[in-house]
Amino acid sequence: MQTGPVVRFLCIFFLSIAAGLSPGQASTGTVPNAGMEIRAMEPEGKPEVTRPALMVSSDIGAEISGPIVRLTVKQTFRNDSDFWSEGLFRFPLPDNAAVDTMVLTVGDRRIVGTIKEKEEAQRTYNEAVRAGKKAALLREYRPNIFATLVGNIPPHGDVTVEIGLQSMAGMEGDTFRWRLPQAITPRYHSEVKATPRVADRFFEGEVFYSADGKANPTSFHASFGASHAIDAIESPSHKLDITGEGKTLKAELAAGTEPANRDLILNWRYRAGEMPAAMLFRETKEEESYLLGLVLPPRGDAPRAVPPRDVTFVIDISGSMSGRSIMEAKVALLSGLDLMAPEDRFDIIAFESALHPLFGSLRTATPETLHKAKEWVMGLAADGGTEMAPALAAALNQTGEGETLRQILFLTDGAVGDEAALFAQVKAGAGKARLFTVGVGPAPNGWFMRKAAEMGRGIHIQIDDLTKAAEAMKALYADMARPSLTGLALDAQGVDMAPTALPDLYGTRPVVFALKAGGSGPLVLKGTDGTGRPWQTSLDPASAEKGKGIASLWARRKVEGLMDDAAIRRDIDANRQAIVDIALEHRLLTPYTSFVAVEEKISRPENEGLDRQVAEGNLPEGTSAKQFFGPQTAAGLGLHAYAAFLALLAACFFYALARRRTA
């Protein structure tokens, strides 16, 4: 057994503990708690905000068929005060979610929400709340951040808001991977004046985090279609109970409920030979036909020559990366360095509020440079702000030479607030380079990670298990060698496809497309495989399986494309009307449309006031308020300093042991 990786892991582990316990840690910037703004209630003037007596619990149900996940999120708002309450709860959802339903439940009464333009929905909600009626408003602030507003919750009473949405699992080979965000890492907003900014008017108000990390107790249960073909279901994030057999396979949290403090990750794998090479689903809605297609690329089993690479590693060492995140990032980066070939060149850029390049230019991957790089990585500690734009610029400006593969490997939790500006920066500056993002931590900003890689014509992976980081990096490196399919195009008549352009594919990730079909002819996909030969496959819509929510997924992809275009053009309202038209037609939640539900009965007496509250969420598991907002009080600093000192001593011991073994 090789002990070198184990020693290296222990060294990183104790260094990370020391960094996390250090009492003098700086704040990560201007935004976290007080700066993350959500204006819960928008009548006249600034809303009052009190410490919450309002509690939220959630029940989440999933119906899974192939890659399609139909999700129902039930949020119960419990008012434990003696006063009528109006409350706000902010929460994450999958960034590819198409939210198409909202129902307000009061006792045995169900009020189905209607979709309206954001301003009209807000007026409807405000008028109902002022009149004493129970009401609910559902808003989107980011593709993965949402807020529920509930008005006139009675003293010691509760109401429930039910949210319905379509989501899709990622897929690689015969395995589906699906991620449900559960906690929101506080975002950092850059103060660097040179950073290109896109006005952000979708994120306003104040946020509260639970002190004990036990807010929003959540239950989860899932049922699987075509269960007879599923070989395994597992979760690297939560312990699950799997029950049933044949067509009744189900999964649920073994603990019943758990605090929503880390992403829930669900993986399921098909039995050998049961996974089809292509899937096509159809939904007919209002006489329109919608199709969702997945096609696996050809397997590249034959060995392929890999040209030399020029790789710039970028690692986020800001305060939000403290604890588990920096450990995962270091292990992944060290694993990446181990995969460098002698003819490759590399550099490393670490960043927080400032840039920290290792060499400042690309260097050949000799034993000496790799040894220096590994020592340097071992000494990194998480602190400071998340000034990502300068780090991206520095990486994009490093140029390769000849026929080398120019690649950027970006390791971060994505805890930034100016995503649109960063997308535009990547799109404009990538050139021939490819950007690959590696997400780390218990609650990464998946939307940023996915879209940044998409804009940089690369792929995104997430490190979900520290012990499997090296394995994940090895697989990513193999995929980075060459796309398995390029130049993809769909040859079909009378279709409206989303996205309008198909990306290059890496490894065994499938072609995924959604379209509104005006014709009935075959769908022909064409491209070039990894060996340079033409590739083609055909799908027959007449043989498509029946599916639900395909129209919503298509509409969501259309909206995403329009939002991407606005971000690249740096004009956030560039496609507003087109987005509103699609959203109203398909009952879809967007930054410009909201769901609102009103019970017509007046509940709150006219002489009773209304207490406005913000329900608490949780910081990501393994983090603390100090890591984001700086030390809260002086209490306990001596104990923390002592523990940090002991952890630092342990790190030094293992570091010396690692050096002795490599000598």
Side-chain angles (χ1 to χ4, degrees), residues 1 171 312 324 421:
M1 175 182 176
M171 183 179 171
T312 302
R324 168 181 159 182

Side-chain angles (χ1 to χ4, degrees), residues 24 236 441 529:
D529 70 14

Side-chain angles (χ1 to χ4, degrees), residues 607-625:
N607 62 340
E608 294 279 354
L610 193 63
D611 186 28
R612 294 168 175 171
Q613 301 182 52
V614 179
E616 292 178 333
N618 297 311
L619 287 169
E621 183 185 45
T623 64
S624 67

Side-chain angles (χ1 to χ4, degrees), residues 119-372:
E119 294 79 8
E120 182 184 357
Q122 185 73 63
R123 285 194 299 270
T124 301
Y125 172 81
N126 289 342
E127 290 169 3
V129 172
R130 280 195 291 264
K133 301 176 181 178
K134 294 186 177 71
L137 180 71
L138 180 63
R139 299 182 68 173
E140 175 182 324
Y141 293 95
R142 294 280 199 282
N144 57 347
I145 298 180
F146 302 80
T148 308
L149 295 156
V150 181
N152 290 314
I153 308 170
H156 304 286
D158 56 60
V159 298
T160 298
V161 176
E162 181 179 311
I163 302 164
L165 59 130
Q166 295 290 125
S167 178
M168 279 194 65
M171 183 179 171
E172 186 171 356
D174 58 359
T175 301
F176 290 100
R177 308 182 191 279
W178 181 71
R179 190 177 204 95
L180 175 64
Q182 297 253 52
I184 300 173
T185 302
R187 303 296 197 255
Y188 177 91
H189 286 252
S190 175
E191 291 185 322
V192 177
K193 298 295 188 291
T195 302
R197 298 299 300 273
V198 177
D200 183 1
R201 288 179 277 102
F202 296 149
F203 206 48
E204 304 169 344
E206 191 172 5
V207 177
F208 292 108
Y209 284 102
S210 167
D212 61 10
K214 296 181 180 179
N216 189 19
T218 299
S219 58
F220 173 80
H221 45 94
S223 61
F224 293 81
S227 298
H228 65 281
I230 294 176
D231 185 49
I233 301 170
E234 60 93 21
S235 171
S237 63
H238 293 70
K239 186 176 180 180
L240 300 177
D241 282 340
I242 311 297
T243 58
E245 57 184 24
K247 295 183 179 181
T248 60
L249 205 56
K250 297 182 179 181
E252 61 183 359
L253 291 181
T257 63
E258 292 194 33
N261 60 6
R262 64 196 185 280
D263 290 2
L264 190 152
I265 304 160
L266 194 62
N267 300 330
W268 59 99
R269 185 176 66 249
Y270 274 71
R271 290 194 179 100
E274 296 277 1
M275 181 68 203
M279 295 183 181
L280 192 63
F281 301 87
R282 177 197 290 272
E283 179 185 40
T284 301
K285 185 176 181 181
E286 298 178 359
E287 300 184 357
E288 294 278 8
S289 183
Y290 297 88
L291 294 168
L292 177 72
L294 293 93
V295 181
L296 285 174
R299 293 187 180 274
D301 297 327
R304 291 175 289 175
V306 180
R309 311 178 197 235
D310 284 338
V311 183
T312 302
F313 297 93
V314 183
I315 181 169
D316 182 351
I317 58 169
S318 63
S320 70
M321 292 282 291
S322 295
R324 168 181 159 182
S325 299
I326 194 65
M327 290 174 64
E328 290 178 349
K330 285 185 177 184
V331 171
L333 179 46
L334 291 168
S335 300
L337 291 172
D338 284 337
L339 294 167
M340 299 295 290
E343 64 272 17
D344 295 341
R345 299 191 307 164
F346 77 100
D347 192 14
I348 305 175
I349 299 172
F351 75 93
E352 24 87 14
S353 299
L355 286 183
H356 305 281
L358 171 59
F359 300 122
S361 62
L362 295 165
R363 301 289 179 87
T364 303
T366 64
E368 293 75 21
T369 55
L370 289 171
H371 179 70
K372 180 177 180 180

Side-chain angles (χ1 to χ4, degrees), residues 421-439:
L422 295 167
F423 297 155
Q425 181 184 3
V426 172
K427 186 74 172 180
K432 293 183 178 180
R434 298 292 185 269
L435 175 66
F436 300 85
T437 58
V438 179

Side-chain angles (χ1 to χ4, degrees), residues 95 144 179 181 187 263 413-414 443-451 460 462:
D95 62 90
N144 57 347
R179 190 177 204 95
R187 303 296 197 255
D263 290 2
D413 60 2
N445 182 355
W447 171 54
F448 171 76
M449 308 299 295
R450 177 176 68 87
K451 294 304 297 184
H460 162 59
Q462 174 67 34

